[in-house]
């Protein structure tokens, strides 16, 4: 956050359009979401409540990750680094270097999307989820991996730096977002309308008490609602913004007077 603010101030003083107040606010908001998911309060709640675990996913993967690229996080943070470090970081991703070619080879858009969707499905799988919940260090690693894959996915969708690949077609980006939203919605609906709890870990926490089991089921329904409503709002908004990018490219966002519209 300090590096981003420092880079933003440098770019702002230089008159670069990249340093807009909107981007600074978005980055700060994304940082706040990450702190809530990783520092406080959700790390103290996820082992007792499924909704807290779901909120971690939403805050990290659906809000903080796209906020990083919407705020042009890579470019602005690079501007905040000391010049030698910035040059070294830039050299790492150059197409002419071995590391740059390797990074490009393992991060095409279709692969990043596929891996993110797979990781999302595994994150929701009851057996794996219960095992990770019983092992907090493993849980933290898996959450970090999921957040990293979300960053790769949103990197291609939003299209800000580092620009290592050809820009994803807005139609293709919208199509991938639709598929992701369908996966998100299907998962949420199956949890929301279930008559029994999905996750053995939270069932074990209830200890066989009927009232506690009902609270676990209510918690699951609430978590499903968070995923359904929160996820859908993010993905549908992203689809609209991506398609709007296409219309702007073709000038369809501005009115065009028709010739001879008032002729007899």
């Amino acid at each position: 956050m300090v590096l981003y603010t420092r880079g933003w101030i440098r770019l702002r003083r230089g008159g670069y359009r990249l340093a807009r107040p909107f981007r600074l606010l978005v980055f700060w908001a994304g940082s706040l979401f990450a702190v809530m998911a990783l520092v406080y309060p959700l790390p103290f709640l996820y082992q007792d409540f499924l909704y807290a675990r779901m909120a971690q996913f939403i805050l990290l993967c659906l809000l903080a990750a796209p906020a990083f690229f919407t705020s042009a996080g890579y470019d602005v943070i690079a501007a905040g680094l000391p010049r030698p470090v910035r040059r070294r970081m830039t050299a790492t991703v150059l197409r002419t270097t071995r590391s740059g070619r390797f990074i490009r080879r393992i991060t095409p858009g279709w692969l990043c999307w596929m891996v993110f969707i797979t990781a999302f499905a595994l994150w929701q799988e009851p057996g794996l989820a219960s095992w990770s919940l019983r092992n907090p260090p493993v849980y933290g690693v898996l959450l970090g991996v999921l957040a990293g894959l979300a960053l790769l996915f949103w990197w291609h969708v939003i299209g800000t730096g580092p620009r290592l690949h050809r820009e994803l077609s807005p139609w293709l980006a919208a199509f991938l977002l639709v598929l992701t939203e369908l996966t998100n919605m299907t998962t949420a609906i199956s949890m929301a309308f279930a008559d029994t709890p999905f996750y053995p870990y939270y069932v074990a926490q209830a200890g066989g008490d009927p009232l506690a089991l009902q609270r676990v089921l209510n918690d699951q329904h609430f978590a499903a609602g968070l995923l359904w409503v929160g996820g859908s709002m993010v993905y549908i908004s992203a689809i609209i913004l991506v398609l709007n990018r296409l219309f702007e490219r073709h000038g369809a966002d501005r009115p065009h007077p028709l010739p001879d519209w008032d002729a007899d």
Side-chain angles (χ1 to χ4, degrees):
M1 192 168 182
V2 173
L3 284 175
Y4 184 92
T5 304
R6 181 184 179 188
W8 186 89
I9 292 173
R10 281 183 176 178
L11 294 172
R12 187 74 174 178
R13 288 174 177 171
Y16 293 95
R17 294 183 58 191
L18 195 64
R20 297 177 180 176
F22 168 75
R23 294 187 190 275
L24 183 63
L25 293 176
V26 169
F27 186 86
W28 283 351
S31 300
L32 176 61
F33 296 146
V35 168
M36 292 172 61
L38 299 175
V39 180
Y40 184 84
L42 295 180
F44 298 94
L45 298 173
Y46 75 86
Q47 288 185 301
D48 297 317
F49 302 102
L50 177 59
Y51 80 81
R53 182 178 183 271
M54 197 67 71
Q56 283 184 306
F57 168 76
I58 293 172
L59 289 174
L60 276 180
C61 300
L62 303 188
L63 294 176
F68 179 82
F69 291 106
T70 301
S71 62
Y74 176 86
D75 297 309
V76 179
I77 288 175
L81 293 171
R83 184 170 297 176
V85 178
R86 183 166 66 248
R87 287 178 175 175
R88 194 176 301 116
M89 185 177 71
T90 303
T92 303
V93 297
L94 288 176
R95 188 181 296 273
T96 54
T97 63
R98 182 179 301 176
S99 59
R101 291 192 296 269
F102 177 74
I103 293 172
R104 286 169 173 81
R105 191 175 299 120
I106 65 172
T107 58
W110 65 269
L111 182 60
C112 291
W113 170 79
M114 187 176 297
V115 174
F116 173 63
I117 285 291
T118 303
F120 169 74
L122 291 174
W123 176 257
Q124 305 296 347
E125 200 279 320
L128 180 60
S130 296
W131 173 68
S132 65
L133 285 165
R134 289 189 292 267
N135 300 274
V138 175
Y139 179 87
V141 170
L142 293 179
L143 182 61
V145 170
L146 184 63
L149 294 174
L151 281 170
L152 290 176
F153 168 68
W154 288 108
W155 170 39
H156 285 281
V157 170
I158 296 174
T160 56
R163 294 177 176 83
L164 308 184
H165 299 274
R166 181 180 300 176
E167 183 181 357
L168 206 62
S169 162
W171 288 114
L172 178 57
F175 177 69
L176 295 180
L177 284 166
V178 169
L179 293 181
T180 310
E181 160 59 7
L182 291 175
T183 304
N184 177 85
M185 187 170 60
T186 302
T187 303
I189 289 175
S190 64
M191 293 174 58
F193 292 98
D195 296 328
T196 56
F198 274 14
Y199 297 91
Y201 174 84
Y202 294 108
V203 173
Q205 294 287 91
D209 180 10
L211 289 178
L213 286 173
Q214 184 59 46
R215 284 196 294 270
V216 170
L217 185 60
N218 292 340
D219 177 35
Q220 177 176 298
H221 292 164
F222 180 52
L226 286 178
L227 183 63
W228 192 348
V229 176
S232 295
M233 288 179 63
V234 170
Y235 289 127
I236 293 174
S237 298
I239 292 168
I240 294 173
L241 291 174
V242 165
L243 292 179
N244 184 63
R245 187 195 312 165
L246 178 68
F247 297 145
E248 287 179 347
R249 184 174 301 171
H250 293 282
D253 60 324
R254 298 183 298 274
H256 295 278
L258 296 176
D260 303 326
W261 66 272
D262 58 346
D264 292 333

